[in-house]
Amino acid sequence: MTSTTHEETAAQHPAVFRRVVVCGALADVCASPDRDLVRNGIDLVARASCAEMLVALHEDAPDAVLVPAQASSGSLAEVIDVVHRWASIPVLVGIHPGEPGRGDAERALDAGANSLVTLPVTAEELRRALAGLGFAAHASTQTVQVGRLRVDAVAHRALLDELEIGLTHREFSILHFLAARSPRHVPAGDIARQFSPSADPDAAARAVRVTIGSIRAKLARTADHGDAVIQTVRGVGYRVNA
């Protein structure tokens, strides 16, 4: 039997995901399958156009956006400026390899792009680009503190009011995922897509709800009002508000 190292397990089950919204079809932008994206801690969401992406910035709550240099029918500089002003998040611009992309690269940098990636980008390349923007190269090295709750992915410990919560690996991963995105709401379907990418979406979302119920029960047993740490907004999703 082949043993699985701690590093391999962490790579297969990242504790925190970075959401990147892209303009255009995922197949045109990304060269990696969903499973590789999951292993690299990336939640890639497609919007059909730059205009649709801008309208949905608040709803999607991305950590960064990826705009192909040729995707904008208007001014690339305007798109970048709006993202910076409305969401205060980095803009990665995708360019084509070789000589055709040189002009696009110069135009993107002049327009205020935070980083350039060559299309189609792989999950590993995208992870490195995000790391270059200041995002952790491996989410599993992060400790997240939200009020009374601290989730330490290095030690694999979660504490509420300094009292340790006994969680399974899946429960810990989901709690860390929610805490890292606080105060944003995360739909059950989004959580399911990260941790069960190959499962039936409806069944996986139901499993997420059951897991969150189990986490709430353990939070309640650990400290007073612990069951209120994970809040639910019907039709929107879950968030940590400790």
Side-chain angles (χ1 to χ4, degrees):
M1 180 182 295
T2 302
S3 63
T4 302
T5 67
H6 174 76
E7 289 78 10
E8 288 170 339
T9 302
Q12 293 170 6
H13 302 285
V16 176
F17 284 76
R18 301 299 179 189
R19 169 166 285 188
V20 180
V21 175
V22 305
C23 298
L26 290 182
D28 296 334
V29 175
C30 184
S32 295
D34 289 345
R35 186 168 296 279
D36 284 349
L37 289 166
V38 169
R39 287 174 176 170
N40 279 275
I42 296 169
D43 175 16
L44 207 58
V45 178
R47 290 290 179 175
S49 66
C50 286
E52 185 177 326
M53 179 268 292
L54 293 175
V55 169
L57 269 179
H58 178 72
E59 175 187 340
D60 289 331
D63 296 292
V65 299
L66 171 55
V67 182
Q70 302 297 332
S72 175
S73 58
S75 168
L76 181 63
E78 288 180 4
V79 172
I80 294 172
D81 179 64
V82 170
V83 173
H84 285 166
R85 286 190 293 108
W86 289 6
S88 298
I89 58 175
V91 178
L92 298 89
V93 174
I95 61 172
H96 294 292
E99 190 63 33
R102 289 183 183 275
D104 288 338
E106 293 178 1
R107 184 165 64 97
L109 292 173
D110 288 343
N114 299 93
S115 183
L116 303 176
V117 295
T118 301
L119 299 181
V121 66
T122 68
E124 172 64 21
E125 289 167 345
L126 186 53
R127 183 188 64 76
R128 288 202 301 265
L130 292 172
L133 292 172
F135 295 105
H138 291 286
S140 59
T141 64
Q142 290 193 350
T143 298
V144 180
Q145 180 88 40
V146 183
R148 305 156 56 202
L149 177 70
R150 184 167 77 253
V151 188
D152 182 349
V154 177
H156 208 275
R157 300 177 69 209
L159 298 98
L160 182 62
D161 293 338
E162 300 303 320
L163 301 171
E164 186 159 3
I165 312 155
L167 300 171
T168 66
H169 177 79
R170 182 177 178 84
E171 290 168 347
F172 179 88
S173 297
I174 289 177
L175 181 61
H176 196 300
F177 177 78
L178 290 173
R181 300 189 74 80
S182 178
R184 302 172 186 171
H185 289 90
V186 185
D190 283 8
I191 302 171
R193 189 168 67 248
Q194 307 315 314
F195 296 99
S196 303
S198 301
D200 173 77
D202 291 337
R206 288 194 296 271
V208 165
R209 296 185 186 100
V210 170
T211 301
I212 287 179
S214 176
I215 296 170
R216 279 197 175 117
K218 291 180 178 181
L219 290 167
R221 290 197 296 269
T222 301
D224 291 339
H225 308 295
D227 55 336
V229 168
I230 299 179
Q231 299 178 342
T232 305
V233 176
R234 187 174 297 277
V236 178
Y238 302 98
R239 73 169 178 176
V240 167
N241 187 16

